[in-house]
Amino acid sequence: MKIKIANHSGFCYGVKRAIDLAVKNSSDETTYSYGDIIHNKDEINRLKSYNIEPVYDIEDIDRDAKVVIRSHGEPKSTYDRLQAQNVNIVDATCPYVKRIHSLIEDYSTNGYTVFLIGNKNHPEVTASMGWAKGDIFVFGDPKEIEGFEKKIDKILVLAQTTIKESLWDSCAQIINKKYKNVVFINTICSATSLRQNSTRELAAAVDAMLIIGGKKSSNTKKLYEISYSVNKNTFFYENKDEIIVQKFKIYDIIGISAGASTPKWVVDELVEKLLNESEE
Ligand code: F3S
């Protein structure tokens, strides 16, 4: 059995930076992350050894404690509430997401209505929405834009960092047909397209593909969809405990790709299990 790992795979810059900042700010006292710092329960468990604990309600954070804002970012109201609670904010919002917040804040202050292409339930999107000073609309599908009947003067169009380029292109086409005064700033993060493209290429060149990552991670789910569209022998595993190696002995070449929230050690453990047990 041969194993090939996608050229671009695993932690992206923003997630790695958030984890590094959390660890750097950890101490004997609990350091909180507001929400899960990463969509990977194995890594969350590892971080517990540094006294880094997720907290889901601001009221549960002790005064003067440190709280890490995760790479997805938070709406402005969260910063206000944390400051009112007198906690120390460690802002680990990914700089690419922070740029979206600034664009939304600046353009909406100047009278632009913001269109955000993405999933309105994704935490990155709900956080970004909270920086608008005026109207902001989220569209997950070009059909939603077709059916949108509001007259608008000036529009800024941005993207959730993890959407597919094809969704951006199809939405931009409709917006261009319907509205005149539009500024498009494609804020899709290249980490996403690089991972998606190298997953697609690898999936076409191997007998089976394993996508490794948290089941709650939307970027990992997208890698699975892309791989499956190219190679029906695509499987999604959270970690080594889920894989039954026996099932893969029929394949000569197995490709592996991991979401932007998957730690390298999780992939390494799974590869080691595959290699060791396939020889038995
Ligand atoms: Fe940032 Fe891109 Fe990762 S926006 S959090 S580097 S996917």
Side-chain angles (χ1 to χ4, degrees), residues 91-163:
D91 194 350
T93 307
C94 174
Y96 301 130
V97 176
K98 205 80 199 157
R99 175 178 175 239
I100 294 176
H101 297 174
S102 306
L103 287 167
I104 291 176
E105 204 175 18
D106 292 352
Y107 275 77
S108 61
T109 303
N110 288 309
Y112 280 77
T113 294
V114 181
F115 284 8
L116 185 55
I117 312 299
N119 173 356
K120 63 176 181 306
N121 298 317
H122 191 282
E124 179 197 312
V125 171
T126 47
S128 294
M129 289 175 76
W131 290 87
K133 302 277 186 206
D135 281 343
I136 180 163
F137 299 96
V138 179
F139 300 102
D141 189 286
K143 283 197 199 104
E144 292 173 15
I145 304 169
E146 293 219 37
F148 186 76
E149 292 302 345
K150 207 169 160 56
K151 274 186 118 191
I152 301 172
D153 258 2
K154 300 190 286 187
I155 303 174
L156 168 71
V157 187
L158 302 174
Q160 178 186 337
T161 57
T162 49
I163 65 164

Coordinates of all heavy atoms in Angstrom, one line a residue, residues 91-163:
D91 N -6.9 38.3 21.1 CA -7.7 38.3 19.8 C -7.0 37.4 18.8 O -6.0 37.8 18.2 CB -7.9 39.7 19.3 CG -9.0 39.7 18.2 OD1 -9.4 38.6 17.7 OD2 -9.4 40.8 17.8
A92 N -7.4 36.2 18.6 CA -6.8 35.3 17.6 C -7.6 35.2 16.3 O -7.5 34.2 15.6 CB -6.6 33.9 18.2
T93 N -8.5 36.2 16.1 CA -9.2 36.3 14.8 C -8.2 36.2 13.7 O -7.2 37.0 13.7 CB -10.0 37.6 14.7 OG1 -10.8 37.7 15.8 CG2 -10.9 37.6 13.4
C94 N -8.4 35.3 12.7 CA -7.5 35.3 11.6 C -7.4 36.6 10.9 O -8.4 37.3 10.7 CB -8.0 34.2 10.6 SG -7.0 34.2 9.1
P95 N -6.2 37.1 10.6 CA -6.1 38.4 9.9 C -7.0 38.5 8.6 O -7.4 39.6 8.3 CB -4.6 38.6 9.6 CG -4.0 37.6 10.6 CD -4.9 36.5 10.8
Y96 N -7.2 37.4 7.9 CA -8.0 37.5 6.7 C -9.4 37.7 7.1 O -10.2 38.3 6.3 CB -7.8 36.2 5.9 CG -6.4 35.9 5.5 CD1 -5.8 34.7 5.7 CD2 -5.6 36.9 4.9 CE1 -4.5 34.4 5.3 CE2 -4.3 36.6 4.5 CZ -3.8 35.4 4.7 OH -2.5 35.1 4.4
V97 N -9.9 37.2 8.2 CA -11.3 37.4 8.6 C -11.4 38.8 9.2 O -12.4 39.5 9.0 CB -11.7 36.3 9.7 CG1 -13.0 36.6 10.3 CG2 -11.6 34.9 9.1
K98 N -10.3 39.2 9.9 CA -10.3 40.6 10.5 C -10.5 41.6 9.3 O -11.1 42.7 9.5 CB -9.0 40.8 11.2 CG -9.0 41.8 12.2 CD -9.6 41.3 13.5 CE -10.0 42.5 14.4 NZ -11.0 42.1 15.4
R99 N -9.8 41.3 8.2 CA -9.9 42.2 7.0 C -11.4 42.4 6.6 O -11.9 43.4 6.2 CB -9.1 41.7 5.9 CG -9.2 42.5 4.6 CD -8.3 42.0 3.5 NE -8.5 42.7 2.3 CZ -8.9 42.1 1.1 NH1 -9.1 40.8 1.1 NH2 -9.1 42.8 0.0
I100 N -12.1 41.2 6.6 CA -13.6 41.2 6.2 C -14.3 42.2 7.2 O -15.1 43.0 6.8 CB -14.1 39.8 6.2 CG1 -13.5 39.0 5.1 CG2 -15.7 39.8 6.1 CD1 -13.9 37.5 5.0
H101 N -14.0 42.0 8.5 CA -14.7 42.9 9.5 C -14.5 44.4 9.2 O -15.4 45.2 9.2 CB -14.2 42.6 10.9 CG -14.5 41.2 11.4 ND1 -14.0 40.7 12.5 CD2 -15.2 40.2 10.8 CE1 -14.4 39.4 12.7 NE2 -15.1 39.1 11.6
S102 N -13.2 44.7 8.9 CA -12.9 46.1 8.6 C -13.6 46.6 7.3 O -14.1 47.7 7.3 CB -11.4 46.3 8.4 OG -10.7 45.8 9.4
L103 N -13.6 45.7 6.3 CA -14.3 46.2 5.1 C -15.7 46.4 5.3 O -16.3 47.4 4.8 CB -14.1 45.1 4.0 CG -12.7 44.9 3.4 CD1 -12.6 43.6 2.6 CD2 -12.4 46.1 2.5
I104 N -16.4 45.5 6.0 CA -17.8 45.6 6.3 C -18.0 46.9 7.1 O -18.9 47.7 6.8 CB -18.3 44.4 7.1 CG1 -18.3 43.2 6.2 CG2 -19.7 44.6 7.7 CD1 -18.7 41.9 6.9
E105 N -17.2 47.1 8.1 CA -17.4 48.3 9.0 C -17.2 49.6 8.1 O -18.0 50.5 8.2 CB -16.4 48.3 10.1 CG -16.8 49.1 11.3 CD -15.9 48.9 12.5 OE1 -14.7 48.5 12.3 OE2 -16.3 49.3 13.6
D106 N -16.1 49.6 7.3 CA -15.8 50.9 6.6 C -16.9 51.1 5.5 O -17.4 52.2 5.4 CB -14.4 50.7 5.9 CG -13.3 50.7 6.9 OD1 -13.6 50.9 8.1 OD2 -12.2 50.5 6.5
Y107 N -17.1 50.1 4.7 CA -18.1 50.4 3.6 C -19.5 50.7 4.1 O -20.2 51.5 3.6 CB -18.1 49.2 2.6 CG -17.0 49.2 1.6 CD1 -15.7 48.9 1.9 CD2 -17.3 49.6 0.3 CE1 -14.7 49.0 0.9 CE2 -16.3 49.7 -0.7 CZ -15.0 49.3 -0.4 OH -14.0 49.4 -1.3
S108 N -19.9 50.0 5.2 CA -21.3 50.2 5.6 C -21.4 51.6 6.3 O -22.4 52.2 6.3 CB -21.8 49.1 6.5 OG -21.0 48.9 7.7
T109 N -20.3 52.0 6.9 CA -20.3 53.4 7.5 C -20.5 54.4 6.3 O -21.0 55.5 6.5 CB -18.9 53.6 8.2 OG1 -18.8 52.7 9.2 CG2 -18.9 55.0 8.8
N110 N -19.9 54.0 5.1 CA -20.0 54.9 4.0 C -21.3 54.7 3.1 O -21.3 55.0 1.9 CB -18.8 54.8 3.1 CG -17.6 55.5 3.9 OD1 -17.7 56.7 4.3 ND2 -16.5 54.8 4.0
G111 N -22.3 54.1 3.7 CA -23.6 53.9 3.0 C -23.7 52.7 2.1 O -24.7 52.6 1.4
Y112 N -22.8 51.8 2.1 CA -22.9 50.6 1.2 C -23.8 49.6 2.0 O -23.6 49.4 3.2 CB -21.5 50.0 0.9 CG -20.8 50.7 -0.2 CD1 -20.1 51.9 0.1 CD2 -20.7 50.1 -1.4 CE1 -19.4 52.6 -0.9 CE2 -20.0 50.8 -2.4 CZ -19.4 52.0 -2.2 OH -18.7 52.6 -3.2
T113 N -24.6 48.9 1.2 CA -25.2 47.7 1.7 C -24.3 46.5 1.4 O -23.7 46.5 0.4 CB -26.6 47.4 1.0 OG1 -27.4 48.5 1.3 CG2 -27.2 46.1 1.4
V114 N -24.1 45.6 2.4 CA -23.2 44.5 2.2 C -23.9 43.2 1.8 O -24.9 42.9 2.4 CB -22.3 44.3 3.5 CG1 -21.3 43.2 3.3 CG2 -21.6 45.6 3.9
F115 N -23.4 42.6 0.8 CA -23.8 41.2 0.4 C -22.7 40.3 0.8 O -21.6 40.5 0.3 CB -24.1 41.1 -1.1 CG -25.4 41.7 -1.6 CD1 -26.2 42.4 -0.8 CD2 -25.8 41.4 -2.9 CE1 -27.4 43.0 -1.3 CE2 -27.0 42.0 -3.4 CZ -27.8 42.8 -2.6
L116 N -23.0 39.3 1.6 CA -21.9 38.4 2.0 C -22.3 37.0 1.5 O -23.4 36.5 1.7 CB -21.8 38.4 3.5 CG -20.8 37.5 4.2 CD1 -19.4 37.9 3.7 CD2 -20.8 37.8 5.7
I117 N -21.5 36.4 0.6 CA -21.8 35.1 0.0 C -21.3 34.1 1.0 O -20.0 34.0 1.2 CB -21.2 35.0 -1.4 CG1 -21.4 36.2 -2.3 CG2 -21.7 33.7 -2.0 CD1 -22.8 36.5 -2.6
G118 N -22.1 33.2 1.5 CA -21.7 32.2 2.4 C -22.9 31.6 3.1 O -24.0 31.7 2.7
N119 N -22.6 30.9 4.2 CA -23.6 30.1 4.9 C -23.9 31.0 6.2 O -23.1 31.2 7.1 CB -23.0 28.8 5.3 CG -23.8 28.0 6.3 OD1 -24.9 28.5 6.7 ND2 -23.4 26.8 6.6
K120 N -25.2 31.4 6.2 CA -25.6 32.3 7.3 C -25.5 31.7 8.7 O -25.6 32.4 9.7 CB -27.0 33.0 7.0 CG -28.1 32.0 7.0 CD -29.4 32.8 6.8 CE -30.7 32.0 6.8 NZ -30.7 31.0 5.8
N121 N -25.4 30.4 8.8 CA -25.3 29.8 10.1 C -23.9 29.5 10.5 O -23.6 29.0 11.6 CB -26.0 28.4 10.1 CG -27.5 28.6 9.8 OD1 -28.1 29.5 10.4 ND2 -28.1 27.8 8.9
H122 N -22.9 29.8 9.6 CA -21.5 29.6 10.0 C -21.0 30.7 10.9 O -21.3 31.8 10.7 CB -20.6 29.5 8.7 CG -19.3 29.0 8.9 ND1 -18.3 29.8 9.5 CD2 -18.7 27.8 8.7 CE1 -17.2 29.1 9.6 NE2 -17.4 27.9 9.1
P123 N -20.3 30.3 12.0 CA -19.9 31.3 13.0 C -19.0 32.4 12.4 O -19.1 33.6 12.9 CB -19.0 30.5 14.0 CG -19.0 29.1 13.5 CD -19.9 28.9 12.4
E124 N -18.2 32.1 11.3 CA -17.5 33.2 10.7 C -18.4 34.3 10.1 O -18.2 35.5 10.3 CB -16.6 32.7 9.6 CG -15.8 33.8 8.9 CD -15.2 33.4 7.6 OE1 -14.6 32.3 7.5 OE2 -15.4 34.1 6.6
V125 N -19.5 33.8 9.5 CA -20.5 34.7 8.9 C -21.3 35.5 9.9 O -21.4 36.7 9.8 CB -21.4 33.9 7.9 CG1 -22.5 34.8 7.4 CG2 -20.6 33.4 6.8
T126 N -21.7 34.8 11.0 CA -22.5 35.5 12.0 C -21.6 36.6 12.7 O -22.1 37.7 13.0 CB -23.1 34.6 13.1 OG1 -22.1 33.6 13.5 CG2 -24.3 33.8 12.5
A127 N -20.3 36.2 12.8 CA -19.4 37.2 13.4 C -19.2 38.4 12.5 O -19.3 39.6 12.9 CB -18.0 36.6 13.7
S128 N -19.0 38.1 11.2 CA -18.8 39.2 10.2 C -20.1 40.1 10.2 O -19.9 41.4 10.1 CB -18.6 38.6 8.8 OG -17.3 37.9 8.8
M129 N -21.2 39.5 10.2 CA -22.5 40.3 10.2 C -22.5 41.4 11.3 O -23.1 42.4 11.1 CB -23.7 39.4 10.3 CG -23.9 38.6 9.0 SD -25.3 37.4 9.2 CE -26.6 38.5 9.1
G130 N -21.9 41.0 12.4 CA -22.0 41.9 13.6 C -21.1 43.1 13.5 O -20.9 43.8 14.4
W131 N -20.4 43.3 12.3 CA -19.6 44.5 12.1 C -20.2 45.5 11.2 O -19.7 46.6 11.0 CB -18.2 44.1 11.6 CG -17.4 43.4 12.7 CD1 -17.4 42.1 12.9 CD2 -16.5 44.0 13.7 NE1 -16.7 41.8 14.0 CE2 -16.1 42.9 14.5 CE3 -16.1 45.3 13.9 CZ2 -15.2 43.1 15.6 CZ3 -15.3 45.5 15.0 CH2 -14.8 44.4 15.8
A132 N -21.4 45.2 10.7 CA -22.1 46.1 9.8 C -22.7 47.3 10.5 O -23.3 47.1 11.6 CB -23.1 45.3 9.0
K133 N -22.6 48.4 9.9 CA -23.3 49.6 10.5 C -24.6 49.9 9.8 O -25.3 50.8 10.1 CB -22.4 50.9 10.3 CG -21.0 50.7 10.9 CD -21.1 51.1 12.4 CE -19.7 51.1 13.0 NZ -19.6 50.8 14.4
G134 N -24.9 49.1 8.8 CA -26.1 49.2 8.1 C -26.6 47.9 7.6 O -26.4 46.9 8.3
D135 N -27.3 47.8 6.5 CA -27.9 46.5 6.0 C -26.8 45.5 5.6 O -25.9 45.9 4.9 CB -28.8 46.7 4.9 CG -30.2 47.2 5.3 OD1 -30.5 47.1 6.6 OD2 -30.9 47.8 4.5
I136 N -27.0 44.3 6.0 CA -26.1 43.2 5.4 C -27.0 42.0 5.1 O -27.9 41.7 5.9 CB -24.9 42.9 6.4 CG1 -24.0 41.8 5.9 CG2 -25.4 42.5 7.8 CD1 -22.7 41.7 6.6
F137 N -26.8 41.4 4.0 CA -27.6 40.3 3.6 C -26.6 39.1 3.2 O -25.6 39.3 2.6 CB -28.4 40.6 2.3 CG -29.4 41.7 2.6 CD1 -29.1 43.0 2.2 CD2 -30.6 41.5 3.2 CE1 -30.0 44.1 2.5 CE2 -31.5 42.5 3.5 CZ -31.2 43.8 3.1
V138 N -27.0 37.9 3.7 CA -26.2 36.8 3.4 C -26.9 35.9 2.4 O -28.1 35.6 2.5 CB -25.9 36.0 4.7 CG1 -25.0 34.7 4.4 CG2 -25.2 36.8 5.7
F139 N -26.1 35.5 1.3 CA -26.7 34.6 0.3 C -25.9 33.3 0.2 O -24.6 33.4 0.1 CB -26.7 35.3 -1.1 CG -27.5 36.6 -1.1 CD1 -26.9 37.8 -1.0 CD2 -28.9 36.5 -1.1 CE1 -27.7 39.0 -1.0 CE2 -29.7 37.7 -1.1 CZ -29.0 38.9 -1.1
G140 N -26.5 32.2 0.2 CA -25.8 30.9 0.1 C -25.9 30.3 -1.2 O -25.3 29.2 -1.5
D141 N -26.7 31.0 -2.1 CA -27.0 30.3 -3.4 C -27.4 31.4 -4.4 O -28.1 32.4 -4.0 CB -28.2 29.4 -3.1 CG -28.5 28.5 -4.3 OD1 -29.1 29.0 -5.2 OD2 -28.2 27.3 -4.2
P142 N -27.0 31.3 -5.7 CA -27.4 32.3 -6.7 C -28.9 32.5 -6.8 O -29.4 33.6 -7.0 CB -26.8 31.8 -8.0 CG -26.1 30.6 -7.7 CD -26.1 30.3 -6.3
K143 N -29.6 31.4 -6.6 CA -31.1 31.5 -6.7 C -31.7 32.5 -5.7 O -32.7 33.2 -5.9 CB -31.7 30.1 -6.5 CG -31.6 29.2 -7.7 CD -32.6 28.1 -7.5 CE -32.1 26.9 -8.4 NZ -31.5 25.8 -7.7
E144 N -31.1 32.5 -4.5 CA -31.5 33.4 -3.4 C -31.4 34.9 -3.9 O -32.2 35.8 -3.6 CB -30.8 33.2 -2.1 CG -31.0 31.9 -1.5 CD -30.1 31.7 -0.3 OE1 -29.5 32.6 0.2 OE2 -30.0 30.5 0.1
I145 N -30.3 35.1 -4.7 CA -30.1 36.5 -5.2 C -31.1 36.8 -6.3 O -31.6 37.9 -6.4 CB -28.6 36.7 -5.7 CG1 -27.6 36.3 -4.6 CG2 -28.3 38.1 -6.2 CD1 -26.2 36.2 -5.0
E146 N -31.3 35.8 -7.1 CA -32.3 36.0 -8.2 C -33.7 36.5 -7.6 O -34.4 37.3 -8.1 CB -32.5 34.7 -9.0 CG -31.3 34.4 -9.8 CD -31.6 33.8 -11.1 OE1 -32.6 34.3 -11.7 OE2 -30.9 32.9 -11.5
G147 N -34.0 35.8 -6.5 CA -35.3 36.1 -5.9 C -35.3 37.3 -5.0 O -36.4 37.7 -4.4
F148 N -34.2 38.0 -4.8 CA -34.1 39.2 -3.9 C -34.5 40.4 -4.7 O -33.9 40.8 -5.7 CB -32.6 39.2 -3.5 CG -32.3 40.3 -2.4 CD1 -32.7 40.1 -1.1 CD2 -31.7 41.5 -2.7 CE1 -32.4 41.0 -0.1 CE2 -31.4 42.4 -1.8 CZ -31.8 42.2 -0.5
E149 N -35.5 41.1 -4.1 CA -36.1 42.2 -4.9 C -35.8 43.6 -4.4 O -36.4 44.5 -4.8 CB -37.7 42.0 -4.9 CG -38.2 40.8 -5.7 CD -37.8 40.8 -7.2 OE1 -37.3 41.9 -7.6 OE2 -37.8 39.7 -7.8
K150 N -34.9 43.8 -3.5 CA -34.7 45.1 -2.9 C -33.9 46.0 -3.8 O -33.0 45.6 -4.5 CB -33.9 44.9 -1.6 CG -34.1 46.0 -0.5 CD -33.5 45.5 0.8 CE -33.2 46.6 1.7 NZ -34.2 47.5 2.2
K151 N -34.4 47.3 -3.9 CA -33.6 48.3 -4.7 C -32.5 48.8 -3.8 O -32.7 49.2 -2.6 CB -34.5 49.5 -5.0 CG -35.3 49.2 -6.3 CD -36.1 50.5 -6.7 CE -35.7 51.0 -8.0 NZ -36.2 52.3 -8.3
I152 N -31.3 48.8 -4.3 CA -30.1 49.2 -3.5 C -29.2 50.1 -4.3 O -29.0 49.8 -5.5 CB -29.3 48.0 -2.9 CG1 -30.2 47.1 -2.1 CG2 -28.2 48.5 -2.1 CD1 -29.6 45.8 -1.6
D153 N -28.7 51.2 -3.7 CA -27.8 52.1 -4.4 C -26.4 51.6 -4.6 O -25.9 51.6 -5.7 CB -27.7 53.4 -3.5 CG -28.6 54.5 -4.0 OD1 -29.3 54.2 -5.0 OD2 -28.6 55.6 -3.4
K154 N -25.8 51.3 -3.4 CA -24.4 50.9 -3.5 C -24.2 49.6 -2.7 O -24.7 49.5 -1.6 CB -23.5 52.0 -2.8 CG -23.6 53.4 -3.4 CD -22.6 54.3 -2.8 CE -22.8 54.7 -1.3 NZ -21.9 55.7 -0.8
I155 N -23.5 48.7 -3.4 CA -23.3 47.4 -2.8 C -21.9 47.0 -2.7 O -21.1 47.1 -3.6 CB -24.1 46.3 -3.6 CG1 -25.6 46.6 -3.7 CG2 -23.9 44.9 -2.9 CD1 -26.4 45.7 -4.6
L156 N -21.5 46.4 -1.5 CA -20.2 45.8 -1.4 C -20.5 44.3 -1.3 O -21.3 43.8 -0.5 CB -19.5 46.2 -0.1 CG -18.3 45.4 0.3 CD1 -17.1 45.6 -0.7 CD2 -17.8 45.7 1.7
V157 N -19.8 43.5 -2.1 CA -20.0 42.0 -2.1 C -18.7 41.4 -1.6 O -17.6 41.6 -2.1 CB -20.3 41.5 -3.5 CG1 -20.7 40.0 -3.4 CG2 -21.4 42.2 -4.1
L158 N -18.8 40.6 -0.6 CA -17.7 39.8 0.0 C -18.0 38.4 0.1 O -19.2 38.0 0.0 CB -17.4 40.4 1.4 CG -17.1 41.9 1.6 CD1 -17.0 42.2 3.1 CD2 -15.8 42.2 0.9
A159 N -17.0 37.6 0.4 CA -17.3 36.1 0.5 C -16.8 35.6 1.9 O -15.9 36.1 2.5 CB -16.4 35.4 -0.5
Q160 N -17.6 34.6 2.4 CA -17.1 33.9 3.6 C -15.7 33.2 3.1 O -15.7 32.8 1.9 CB -18.1 32.8 3.9 CG -17.7 31.8 5.0 CD -18.7 30.7 5.2 OE1 -19.8 30.8 4.8 NE2 -18.2 29.6 5.8
T161 N -14.7 33.2 3.9 CA -13.4 32.8 3.5 C -13.3 31.3 2.9 O -12.5 31.0 2.1 CB -12.4 32.9 4.6 OG1 -12.8 32.0 5.7 CG2 -12.1 34.3 5.1
T162 N -14.3 30.5 3.3 CA -14.2 29.1 3.0 C -15.1 28.6 1.8 O -15.2 27.4 1.6 CB -14.4 28.2 4.2 OG1 -15.6 28.6 4.8 CG2 -13.3 28.3 5.2
I163 N -15.8 29.5 1.2 CA -16.7 29.1 0.1 C -15.9 28.7 -1.2 O -14.8 29.1 -1.4 CB -17.8 30.1 -0.3 CG1 -17.2 31.4 -0.9 CG2 -18.7 30.4 0.9 CD1 -18.2 32.2 -1.6

